[in-house]
Amino acid sequence: VSEFFFTAINSILYQRGIYQPETFKRESKYGLTVLTTTDTGLLSYLSSVMSQMSTWLTEGEVQRLVVVVSGIDSGETLERWQFNVDVDDNCGGSSSGVGVQKDENVSQNVVKSGGGNGEGKKKEKTVKEVHDEIQAIIRQITASVTFLPLLNEPCSFDLLIYTNKTAVVPKKWADSDPRYIMNSQEVKLRSFTTSFHKVDSMVTYKEADEWEL
């Protein structure tokens, strides 16, 4: 799951032009050609976040990952790419109330969603089945340029990771507000499941003003 997040974040940063296209290299993953950053600063940042994410995922503490795209000049949140993580109760994952802000720790790369509705033992999925589902999400991210408004100013991104209240948060991580978007549109993307997790994805974006259309 953490490897998927790394790939998805890279795809978003490339497709939305947050980083220059020449700073990405092509790689083969999930039966697709994907683009991964070669920017050393960004790689170091993402590696650090993904390492912590992997620990929290193993402990069943992650509820949601959000990639926030905001305008550097305006400071406005323009897009929120949200990936909700549900943990299978039978796998020992803990969870908290779904989307109740007061029950969430929000760290600089942290915010949460709740989950787990044990439905008994599920059939083990093959790696190919999981990869096919992930492939469909990555394709949707790639196709997002066809429906998302143009980003008309230089943009930056932040990562918010929603965790359970029981999660141990490193000191260097900071609390953050949810960075919601006013007057937004939402598009639900595909989901994928593993033996332990289910990941639902969606993108929320700021509606273009009439004069921009």
Side-chain angles (χ1 to χ4, degrees):
V1 173
S2 58
E3 184 183 83
F4 159 74
F5 285 143
F6 179 80
T7 303
I9 292 167
N10 272 276
S11 296
I12 292 166
L13 297 181
Y14 176 81
Q15 296 298 335
R16 304 309 288 145
I18 312 301
Y19 283 77
Q20 293 298 316
E22 58 267 22
T23 63
F24 290 82
K25 65 179 180 180
R26 295 179 181 276
E27 291 185 340
S28 181
K29 200 174 288 187
Y30 310 121
L32 283 175
T33 297
V34 297
L35 290 138
T36 305
T37 183
T38 58
D39 183 287
T40 53
L42 179 56
L43 271 175
S44 175
Y45 170 70
L46 291 179
S47 296
S48 173
V49 173
M50 290 303 107
S51 175
Q52 182 60 61
M53 271 283 284
S54 183
T55 299
W56 280 332
L57 283 165
T58 301
E59 296 169 350
E61 299 285 13
V62 177
Q63 296 183 352
R64 180 185 305 151
L65 168 72
V66 181
V67 182
V68 177
V69 176
S70 54
I72 293 175
D73 297 331
S74 66
E76 270 191 291
T77 299
L78 303 176
E79 295 174 5
R80 291 179 90 254
W81 295 79
Q82 182 169 305
F83 302 90
N84 295 331
V85 181
D86 282 340
V87 181
D88 189 327
D89 282 347
N90 294 319
C91 300
S94 59
S95 63
S96 67
V98 180
V100 181
Q101 191 64 31
K102 64 183 179 182
D103 288 339
E104 298 172 349
N105 292 329
V106 184
S107 291
Q108 174 211 353
N109 300 299
V110 190
V111 189
K112 325 184 162 185
S113 128
N117 49 13
E119 300 171 350
K121 263 192 173 176
K122 297 178 182 177
K123 181 184 175 184
E124 290 275 330
K125 298 186 74 167
T126 66
V127 171
K128 183 181 185 307
E129 287 174 328
V130 175
H131 282 189
D132 285 347
E133 292 178 352
I134 290 176
Q135 186 183 107
I137 300 174
I138 300 299
R139 286 186 188 278
Q140 284 187 309
I141 293 173
T142 302
S144 66
V145 293
T146 62
F147 65 83
L148 290 175
L150 288 174
L151 297 174
N152 292 321
E153 62 177 305
C155 293
S156 63
F157 82 103
D158 289 300
L159 298 178
L160 307 178
I161 303 170
Y162 290 74
T163 63
N164 294 332
K165 293 180 72 175
T166 53
V168 178
V169 181
K171 289 182 180 179
K172 62 182 179 180
W173 290 52
D175 288 345
S176 169
D177 67 78
R179 310 282 293 277
Y180 291 131
I181 303 172
M182 300 296 290
N183 302 320
S184 63
Q185 291 285 334
E186 180 180 295
V187 176
K188 187 169 175 57
L189 306 177
R190 298 286 188 91
S191 63
F192 78 91
T193 57
T194 68
S195 301
F196 301 96
H197 301 96
K198 178 181 179 183
V199 178
D200 291 310
S201 52
M202 68 185 71
V203 58
T204 306
Y205 58 93
K206 185 179 185 299
E207 279 194 288
D209 294 329
E210 286 187 15
W211 62 269
E212 293 180 315
L213 296 175

Short mmCIF file of all heavy atoms in Angstrom, two decimals, residues 42-105:
data_model
loop_
_atom_site.label_atom_id
_atom_site.label_comp_id
_atom_site.label_asym_id
_atom_site.label_seq_id
_atom_site.Cartn_x
_atom_site.Cartn_y
_atom_site.Cartn_z
N LEU A 42 13.02 16.14 -3.07
CA LEU A 42 11.68 15.55 -3.05
C LEU A 42 11.74 14.07 -2.71
O LEU A 42 10.93 13.57 -1.92
CB LEU A 42 11.00 15.76 -4.40
CG LEU A 42 9.58 15.18 -4.56
CD1 LEU A 42 8.65 15.72 -3.50
CD2 LEU A 42 9.04 15.47 -5.96
N LEU A 43 12.72 13.37 -3.28
CA LEU A 43 12.88 11.94 -3.00
C LEU A 43 13.13 11.70 -1.51
O LEU A 43 12.57 10.79 -0.91
CB LEU A 43 14.03 11.35 -3.82
CG LEU A 43 13.70 10.81 -5.20
CD1 LEU A 43 14.98 10.38 -5.93
CD2 LEU A 43 12.72 9.63 -5.12
N SER A 44 13.98 12.53 -0.92
CA SER A 44 14.29 12.40 0.50
C SER A 44 13.05 12.63 1.35
O SER A 44 12.77 11.88 2.30
CB SER A 44 15.39 13.40 0.87
OG SER A 44 15.64 13.38 2.26
N TYR A 45 12.29 13.66 0.99
CA TYR A 45 11.05 13.98 1.71
C TYR A 45 10.04 12.84 1.61
O TYR A 45 9.50 12.37 2.62
CB TYR A 45 10.47 15.27 1.16
CG TYR A 45 9.07 15.59 1.66
CD1 TYR A 45 8.84 15.98 2.97
CD2 TYR A 45 7.96 15.51 0.80
CE1 TYR A 45 7.57 16.28 3.43
CE2 TYR A 45 6.69 15.81 1.24
CZ TYR A 45 6.49 16.18 2.56
OH TYR A 45 5.23 16.47 3.00
N LEU A 46 9.80 12.36 0.38
CA LEU A 46 8.82 11.29 0.18
C LEU A 46 9.26 10.00 0.86
O LEU A 46 8.44 9.28 1.43
CB LEU A 46 8.60 11.06 -1.32
CG LEU A 46 7.87 12.17 -2.08
CD1 LEU A 46 7.76 11.81 -3.56
CD2 LEU A 46 6.50 12.44 -1.49
N SER A 47 10.56 9.70 0.81
CA SER A 47 11.07 8.48 1.43
C SER A 47 10.83 8.51 2.94
O SER A 47 10.45 7.51 3.55
CB SER A 47 12.56 8.30 1.14
OG SER A 47 12.78 8.12 -0.24
N SER A 48 11.06 9.69 3.53
CA SER A 48 10.86 9.85 4.97
C SER A 48 9.39 9.65 5.33
O SER A 48 9.05 8.94 6.28
CB SER A 48 11.32 11.24 5.40
OG SER A 48 11.00 11.48 6.76
N VAL A 49 8.50 10.28 4.55
CA VAL A 49 7.06 10.17 4.82
C VAL A 49 6.58 8.73 4.61
O VAL A 49 5.83 8.18 5.42
CB VAL A 49 6.26 11.13 3.92
CG1 VAL A 49 4.76 10.89 4.07
CG2 VAL A 49 6.59 12.58 4.26
N MET A 50 7.02 8.10 3.52
CA MET A 50 6.58 6.73 3.21
C MET A 50 7.09 5.72 4.23
O MET A 50 6.42 4.74 4.54
CB MET A 50 7.04 6.33 1.81
CG MET A 50 6.32 7.06 0.67
SD MET A 50 4.51 6.84 0.71
CE MET A 50 3.99 8.47 1.26
N SER A 51 8.27 5.98 4.78
CA SER A 51 8.80 5.10 5.82
C SER A 51 7.91 5.12 7.05
O SER A 51 7.56 4.08 7.62
CB SER A 51 10.23 5.53 6.18
OG SER A 51 10.72 4.77 7.26
N GLN A 52 7.49 6.34 7.46
CA GLN A 52 6.59 6.46 8.60
C GLN A 52 5.22 5.88 8.27
O GLN A 52 4.59 5.21 9.08
CB GLN A 52 6.45 7.93 9.00
CG GLN A 52 5.57 8.16 10.22
CD GLN A 52 6.09 7.47 11.46
OE1 GLN A 52 7.20 7.75 11.92
NE2 GLN A 52 5.32 6.54 12.00
N MET A 53 4.75 6.12 7.04
CA MET A 53 3.46 5.58 6.60
C MET A 53 3.46 4.06 6.68
O MET A 53 2.49 3.45 7.12
CB MET A 53 3.19 6.00 5.15
CG MET A 53 2.47 7.32 4.99
SD MET A 53 0.70 7.18 5.33
CE MET A 53 0.14 6.38 3.84
N SER A 54 4.56 3.46 6.24
CA SER A 54 4.66 2.00 6.23
C SER A 54 4.52 1.44 7.65
O SER A 54 3.84 0.45 7.88
CB SER A 54 6.01 1.57 5.62
OG SER A 54 6.10 0.17 5.54
N THR A 55 5.16 2.13 8.61
CA THR A 55 5.05 1.71 10.02
C THR A 55 3.62 1.81 10.50
O THR A 55 3.08 0.89 11.11
CB THR A 55 5.96 2.59 10.90
OG1 THR A 55 7.32 2.45 10.48
CG2 THR A 55 5.84 2.20 12.37
N TRP A 56 2.98 2.94 10.23
CA TRP A 56 1.59 3.13 10.66
C TRP A 56 0.64 2.15 9.97
O TRP A 56 -0.30 1.65 10.59
CB TRP A 56 1.14 4.55 10.37
CG TRP A 56 1.60 5.55 11.39
CD1 TRP A 56 1.86 5.33 12.72
CD2 TRP A 56 1.85 6.94 11.19
NE1 TRP A 56 2.25 6.47 13.33
CE2 TRP A 56 2.25 7.49 12.43
CE3 TRP A 56 1.76 7.78 10.09
CZ2 TRP A 56 2.57 8.84 12.60
CZ3 TRP A 56 2.07 9.12 10.25
CH2 TRP A 56 2.47 9.65 11.48
N LEU A 57 0.89 1.87 8.68
CA LEU A 57 0.03 0.92 7.96
C LEU A 57 0.14 -0.47 8.59
O LEU A 57 -0.85 -1.18 8.75
CB LEU A 57 0.43 0.87 6.49
CG LEU A 57 -0.05 2.05 5.62
CD1 LEU A 57 0.71 2.07 4.30
CD2 LEU A 57 -1.55 1.95 5.36
N THR A 58 1.37 -0.86 8.92
CA THR A 58 1.59 -2.17 9.54
C THR A 58 0.85 -2.27 10.87
O THR A 58 0.32 -3.32 11.24
CB THR A 58 3.09 -2.41 9.77
OG1 THR A 58 3.77 -2.35 8.51
CG2 THR A 58 3.35 -3.78 10.41
N GLU A 59 0.79 -1.15 11.59
CA GLU A 59 0.13 -1.13 12.90
C GLU A 59 -1.37 -0.86 12.79
O GLU A 59 -2.08 -0.80 13.79
CB GLU A 59 0.78 -0.05 13.78
CG GLU A 59 2.25 -0.35 14.09
CD GLU A 59 2.98 0.83 14.72
OE1 GLU A 59 2.39 1.95 14.74
OE2 GLU A 59 4.11 0.65 15.18
N GLY A 60 -1.87 -0.67 11.55
CA GLY A 60 -3.29 -0.41 11.35
C GLY A 60 -3.72 0.96 11.82
O GLY A 60 -4.88 1.17 12.20
N GLU A 61 -2.80 1.94 11.79
CA GLU A 61 -3.09 3.26 12.35
C GLU A 61 -3.50 4.30 11.30
O GLU A 61 -3.95 5.38 11.65
CB GLU A 61 -1.85 3.79 13.10
CG GLU A 61 -1.41 2.94 14.27
CD GLU A 61 -2.31 3.08 15.49
OE1 GLU A 61 -3.43 3.64 15.35
OE2 GLU A 61 -1.92 2.62 16.58
N VAL A 62 -3.31 4.02 10.01
CA VAL A 62 -3.59 5.03 8.98
C VAL A 62 -5.05 4.99 8.58
O VAL A 62 -5.61 3.92 8.32
CB VAL A 62 -2.71 4.82 7.73
CG1 VAL A 62 -3.07 5.82 6.64
CG2 VAL A 62 -1.24 4.94 8.09
N GLN A 63 -5.67 6.14 8.52
CA GLN A 63 -7.06 6.25 8.07
C GLN A 63 -7.17 6.89 6.70
O GLN A 63 -8.03 6.55 5.91
CB GLN A 63 -7.87 7.08 9.06
CG GLN A 63 -7.97 6.45 10.44
CD GLN A 63 -8.83 7.26 11.37
OE1 GLN A 63 -9.25 8.37 11.05
NE2 GLN A 63 -9.12 6.71 12.52
N ARG A 64 -6.29 7.86 6.43
CA ARG A 64 -6.43 8.60 5.17
C ARG A 64 -5.13 9.32 4.82
O ARG A 64 -4.45 9.83 5.71
CB ARG A 64 -7.55 9.64 5.32
CG ARG A 64 -7.84 10.49 4.10
CD ARG A 64 -8.89 11.55 4.41
NE ARG A 64 -10.12 10.95 4.95
CZ ARG A 64 -10.93 11.56 5.80
NH1 ARG A 64 -10.66 12.77 6.22
NH2 ARG A 64 -12.03 10.95 6.22
N LEU A 65 -4.81 9.33 3.54
CA LEU A 65 -3.72 10.15 3.02
C LEU A 65 -4.34 11.18 2.09
O LEU A 65 -5.17 10.84 1.24
CB LEU A 65 -2.71 9.30 2.25
CG LEU A 65 -1.68 10.09 1.41
CD1 LEU A 65 -0.66 10.77 2.31
CD2 LEU A 65 -0.96 9.16 0.43
N VAL A 66 -3.96 12.43 2.24
CA VAL A 66 -4.46 13.50 1.37
C VAL A 66 -3.28 14.26 0.76
O VAL A 66 -2.38 14.69 1.49
CB VAL A 66 -5.36 14.49 2.14
CG1 VAL A 66 -5.89 15.58 1.20
CG2 VAL A 66 -6.52 13.77 2.81
N VAL A 67 -3.29 14.38 -0.56
CA VAL A 67 -2.31 15.22 -1.25
C VAL A 67 -3.00 16.55 -1.53
O VAL A 67 -3.98 16.61 -2.27
CB VAL A 67 -1.85 14.58 -2.58
CG1 VAL A 67 -0.79 15.46 -3.26
CG2 VAL A 67 -1.31 13.17 -2.34
N VAL A 68 -2.49 17.61 -0.92
CA VAL A 68 -3.09 18.95 -1.06
C VAL A 68 -2.26 19.76 -2.04
O VAL A 68 -1.06 19.94 -1.85
CB VAL A 68 -3.14 19.68 0.30
CG1 VAL A 68 -3.69 21.10 0.12
CG2 VAL A 68 -3.99 18.91 1.29
N VAL A 69 -2.90 20.24 -3.10
CA VAL A 69 -2.25 21.11 -4.08
C VAL A 69 -2.76 22.53 -3.85
O VAL A 69 -3.96 22.77 -3.88
CB VAL A 69 -2.56 20.66 -5.53
CG1 VAL A 69 -1.94 21.63 -6.53
CG2 VAL A 69 -2.04 19.25 -5.77
N SER A 70 -1.84 23.45 -3.60
CA SER A 70 -2.25 24.83 -3.32
C SER A 70 -1.45 25.82 -4.15
O SER A 70 -0.30 25.55 -4.54
CB SER A 70 -2.10 25.14 -1.83
OG SER A 70 -0.79 24.86 -1.38
N GLY A 71 -2.06 26.96 -4.43
CA GLY A 71 -1.40 28.00 -5.20
C GLY A 71 -0.37 28.73 -4.35
O GLY A 71 -0.65 29.11 -3.22
N ILE A 72 0.84 28.90 -4.87
CA ILE A 72 1.91 29.57 -4.12
C ILE A 72 1.57 31.04 -3.91
O ILE A 72 1.77 31.60 -2.83
CB ILE A 72 3.26 29.41 -4.85
CG1 ILE A 72 3.70 27.94 -4.83
CG2 ILE A 72 4.33 30.30 -4.21
CD1 ILE A 72 4.95 27.65 -5.62
N ASP A 73 1.05 31.70 -4.94
CA ASP A 73 0.73 33.13 -4.85
C ASP A 73 -0.54 33.39 -4.04
O ASP A 73 -0.57 34.25 -3.16
CB ASP A 73 0.59 33.73 -6.25
CG ASP A 73 1.88 33.65 -7.05
OD1 ASP A 73 2.96 33.68 -6.43
OD2 ASP A 73 1.81 33.54 -8.29
N SER A 74 -1.59 32.64 -4.34
CA SER A 74 -2.88 32.88 -3.69
C SER A 74 -2.99 32.22 -2.32
O SER A 74 -3.76 32.65 -1.47
CB SER A 74 -4.02 32.35 -4.58
OG SER A 74 -3.96 30.94 -4.69
N GLY A 75 -2.22 31.13 -2.11
CA GLY A 75 -2.32 30.39 -0.86
C GLY A 75 -3.57 29.54 -0.78
O GLY A 75 -3.84 28.89 0.23
N GLU A 76 -4.35 29.51 -1.86
CA GLU A 76 -5.61 28.76 -1.89
C GLU A 76 -5.36 27.27 -2.12
O GLU A 76 -4.48 26.89 -2.88
CB GLU A 76 -6.50 29.27 -3.03
CG GLU A 76 -7.42 30.38 -2.66
CD GLU A 76 -8.45 30.63 -3.77
OE1 GLU A 76 -8.05 31.10 -4.84
OE2 GLU A 76 -9.63 30.32 -3.54
N THR A 77 -6.19 26.45 -1.49
CA THR A 77 -6.18 25.02 -1.79
C THR A 77 -6.96 24.80 -3.07
O THR A 77 -8.14 25.15 -3.15
CB THR A 77 -6.81 24.20 -0.65
OG1 THR A 77 -6.07 24.40 0.56
CG2 THR A 77 -6.81 22.71 -0.98
N LEU A 78 -6.32 24.24 -4.08
CA LEU A 78 -6.95 24.07 -5.39
C LEU A 78 -7.42 22.65 -5.64
O LEU A 78 -8.41 22.42 -6.33
CB LEU A 78 -5.97 24.50 -6.48
CG LEU A 78 -5.44 25.94 -6.36
CD1 LEU A 78 -4.39 26.22 -7.44
CD2 LEU A 78 -6.57 26.95 -6.45
N GLU A 79 -6.70 21.67 -5.07
CA GLU A 79 -7.07 20.26 -5.23
C GLU A 79 -6.74 19.48 -3.97
O GLU A 79 -5.75 19.76 -3.29
CB GLU A 79 -6.30 19.63 -6.42
CG GLU A 79 -6.65 20.20 -7.78
CD GLU A 79 -5.78 19.66 -8.89
OE1 GLU A 79 -4.95 18.75 -8.65
OE2 GLU A 79 -5.92 20.14 -10.03
N ARG A 80 -7.59 18.50 -3.68
CA ARG A 80 -7.32 17.54 -2.59
C ARG A 80 -7.50 16.14 -3.14
O ARG A 80 -8.60 15.74 -3.49
CB ARG A 80 -8.27 17.74 -1.40
CG ARG A 80 -8.07 19.01 -0.61
CD ARG A 80 -9.09 19.11 0.53
NE ARG A 80 -8.62 18.52 1.78
CZ ARG A 80 -9.03 17.39 2.29
NH1 ARG A 80 -9.94 16.66 1.65
NH2 ARG A 80 -8.56 16.94 3.43
N TRP A 81 -6.41 15.42 -3.24
CA TRP A 81 -6.44 14.02 -3.67
C TRP A 81 -6.49 13.17 -2.41
O TRP A 81 -5.54 13.15 -1.63
CB TRP A 81 -5.21 13.70 -4.50
CG TRP A 81 -5.12 14.45 -5.80
CD1 TRP A 81 -4.71 15.74 -5.97
CD2 TRP A 81 -5.46 13.95 -7.09
NE1 TRP A 81 -4.77 16.08 -7.30
CE2 TRP A 81 -5.22 15.00 -8.01
CE3 TRP A 81 -5.94 12.72 -7.56
CZ2 TRP A 81 -5.44 14.86 -9.37
CZ3 TRP A 81 -6.15 12.58 -8.92
CH2 TRP A 81 -5.91 13.64 -9.82
N GLN A 82 -7.60 12.49 -2.22
CA GLN A 82 -7.84 11.79 -0.96
C GLN A 82 -7.88 10.28 -1.14
O GLN A 82 -8.56 9.77 -2.03
CB GLN A 82 -9.17 12.27 -0.37
CG GLN A 82 -9.53 11.67 0.98
CD GLN A 82 -10.71 12.40 1.59
OE1 GLN A 82 -10.71 13.62 1.76
NE2 GLN A 82 -11.75 11.64 1.95
N PHE A 83 -7.13 9.58 -0.28
CA PHE A 83 -7.08 8.12 -0.33
C PHE A 83 -7.46 7.59 1.06
O PHE A 83 -6.70 7.73 2.02
CB PHE A 83 -5.67 7.64 -0.71
CG PHE A 83 -5.20 8.16 -2.05
CD1 PHE A 83 -4.50 9.36 -2.13
CD2 PHE A 83 -5.47 7.47 -3.22
CE1 PHE A 83 -4.08 9.86 -3.36
CE2 PHE A 83 -5.05 7.96 -4.46
CZ PHE A 83 -4.35 9.15 -4.52
N ASN A 84 -8.67 7.05 1.17
CA ASN A 84 -9.16 6.52 2.44
C ASN A 84 -8.70 5.06 2.62
O ASN A 84 -8.83 4.26 1.70
CB ASN A 84 -10.68 6.57 2.50
CG ASN A 84 -11.20 8.00 2.49
OD1 ASN A 84 -10.52 8.92 2.95
ND2 ASN A 84 -12.39 8.19 1.96
N VAL A 85 -8.21 4.76 3.81
CA VAL A 85 -7.69 3.42 4.09
C VAL A 85 -8.57 2.74 5.13
O VAL A 85 -8.72 3.24 6.25
CB VAL A 85 -6.24 3.49 4.62
CG1 VAL A 85 -5.71 2.08 4.89
CG2 VAL A 85 -5.34 4.22 3.62
N ASP A 86 -9.16 1.61 4.76
CA ASP A 86 -9.91 0.78 5.70
C ASP A 86 -9.09 -0.46 6.01
O ASP A 86 -8.53 -1.08 5.11
CB ASP A 86 -11.25 0.36 5.11
CG ASP A 86 -12.29 1.48 5.17
OD1 ASP A 86 -12.09 2.40 5.99
OD2 ASP A 86 -13.27 1.43 4.41
N VAL A 87 -9.05 -0.82 7.29
CA VAL A 87 -8.31 -2.01 7.72
C VAL A 87 -9.29 -3.12 8.05
O VAL A 87 -10.29 -2.89 8.73
CB VAL A 87 -7.45 -1.71 8.97
CG1 VAL A 87 -6.67 -2.94 9.39
CG2 VAL A 87 -6.50 -0.55 8.70
N ASP A 88 -9.02 -4.32 7.55
CA ASP A 88 -9.87 -5.48 7.84
C ASP A 88 -9.76 -5.79 9.33
O ASP A 88 -8.69 -6.02 9.85
CB ASP A 88 -9.38 -6.67 7.00
CG ASP A 88 -10.33 -7.86 7.07
OD1 ASP A 88 -10.96 -8.05 8.14
OD2 ASP A 88 -10.45 -8.58 6.08
N ASP A 89 -10.91 -5.78 10.04
CA ASP A 89 -10.92 -6.07 11.47
C ASP A 89 -10.28 -7.40 11.80
O ASP A 89 -9.68 -7.59 12.84
CB ASP A 89 -12.36 -6.08 12.01
CG ASP A 89 -12.89 -4.66 12.20
OD1 ASP A 89 -12.07 -3.72 12.15
OD2 ASP A 89 -14.11 -4.51 12.38
N ASN A 90 -10.41 -8.37 10.90
CA ASN A 90 -9.88 -9.70 11.16
C ASN A 90 -8.36 -9.73 11.15
O ASN A 90 -7.74 -10.70 11.55
CB ASN A 90 -10.39 -10.70 10.12
CG ASN A 90 -11.88 -10.90 10.23
OD1 ASN A 90 -12.40 -11.00 11.34
ND2 ASN A 90 -12.57 -10.94 9.11
N CYS A 91 -7.75 -8.63 10.66
CA CYS A 91 -6.31 -8.57 10.60
C CYS A 91 -5.74 -7.80 11.80
O CYS A 91 -4.56 -7.49 11.85
CB CYS A 91 -5.85 -7.88 9.31
SG CYS A 91 -6.39 -8.74 7.83
N GLY A 92 -6.62 -7.45 12.73
CA GLY A 92 -6.14 -6.83 13.95
C GLY A 92 -5.95 -5.33 13.86
O GLY A 92 -5.36 -4.73 14.73
N GLY A 93 -6.42 -4.69 12.81
CA GLY A 93 -6.25 -3.25 12.66
C GLY A 93 -7.20 -2.51 13.59
O GLY A 93 -8.31 -2.95 13.85
N SER A 94 -6.76 -1.36 14.11
CA SER A 94 -7.63 -0.55 14.95
C SER A 94 -8.21 0.58 14.12
O SER A 94 -7.69 0.94 13.10
CB SER A 94 -6.82 0.03 16.12
OG SER A 94 -5.76 0.82 15.64
N SER A 95 -9.31 1.13 14.57
CA SER A 95 -9.92 2.21 13.80
C SER A 95 -10.64 3.16 14.74
O SER A 95 -10.88 2.86 15.89
CB SER A 95 -10.93 1.64 12.79
OG SER A 95 -11.98 0.99 13.47
N SER A 96 -10.96 4.33 14.21
CA SER A 96 -11.72 5.29 15.00
C SER A 96 -12.87 5.80 14.16
O SER A 96 -13.02 5.40 13.02
CB SER A 96 -10.81 6.45 15.43
OG SER A 96 -10.42 7.21 14.30
N GLY A 97 -13.70 6.68 14.71
CA GLY A 97 -14.87 7.16 14.02
C GLY A 97 -14.55 7.75 12.65
O GLY A 97 -13.53 8.39 12.47
N VAL A 98 -15.42 7.52 11.70
CA VAL A 98 -15.17 7.99 10.34
C VAL A 98 -15.36 9.50 10.25
O VAL A 98 -16.43 10.02 10.53
CB VAL A 98 -16.13 7.30 9.35
CG1 VAL A 98 -15.87 7.81 7.95
CG2 VAL A 98 -15.96 5.80 9.41
N GLY A 99 -14.31 10.19 9.85
CA GLY A 99 -14.40 11.59 9.51
C GLY A 99 -14.83 12.53 10.62
O GLY A 99 -15.37 13.58 10.36
N VAL A 100 -14.63 12.17 11.89
CA VAL A 100 -14.97 13.07 12.98
C VAL A 100 -13.72 13.86 13.34
O VAL A 100 -12.79 13.32 13.94
CB VAL A 100 -15.48 12.29 14.22
CG1 VAL A 100 -15.84 13.26 15.33
CG2 VAL A 100 -16.67 11.45 13.83
N GLN A 101 -13.71 15.13 12.98
CA GLN A 101 -12.49 15.93 13.09
C GLN A 101 -11.92 15.93 14.50
O GLN A 101 -10.72 15.84 14.70
CB GLN A 101 -12.78 17.37 12.64
CG GLN A 101 -11.52 18.22 12.48
CD GLN A 101 -10.63 17.71 11.39
OE1 GLN A 101 -11.09 17.15 10.42
NE2 GLN A 101 -9.34 17.87 11.55
N LYS A 102 -12.77 16.02 15.53
CA LYS A 102 -12.26 16.12 16.89
C LYS A 102 -11.58 14.85 17.35
O LYS A 102 -10.85 14.84 18.32
CB LYS A 102 -13.40 16.45 17.86
CG LYS A 102 -14.45 15.37 17.97
CD LYS A 102 -15.56 15.78 18.89
CE LYS A 102 -16.64 14.72 18.98
NZ LYS A 102 -17.76 15.12 19.83
N ASP A 103 -11.80 13.74 16.63
CA ASP A 103 -11.19 12.48 17.01
C ASP A 103 -9.91 12.19 16.23
O ASP A 103 -9.39 11.10 16.28
CB ASP A 103 -12.16 11.32 16.79
CG ASP A 103 -13.27 11.33 17.81
OD1 ASP A 103 -13.07 11.96 18.86
OD2 ASP A 103 -14.32 10.74 17.54
N GLU A 104 -9.43 13.20 15.47
CA GLU A 104 -8.31 12.93 14.60
C GLU A 104 -7.07 13.70 15.03
O GLU A 104 -7.14 14.81 15.51
CB GLU A 104 -8.65 13.33 13.16
CG GLU A 104 -9.82 12.54 12.60
CD GLU A 104 -10.27 13.09 11.27
OE1 GLU A 104 -9.83 14.18 10.90
OE2 GLU A 104 -11.07 12.42 10.62
N ASN A 105 -5.90 13.05 14.87
CA ASN A 105 -4.63 13.75 14.97
C ASN A 105 -4.30 14.17 13.55
O ASN A 105 -4.35 13.37 12.65
CB ASN A 105 -3.51 12.80 15.39
CG ASN A 105 -3.67 12.33 16.81
OD1 ASN A 105 -4.20 13.05 17.63
ND2 ASN A 105 -3.21 11.13 17.10
#
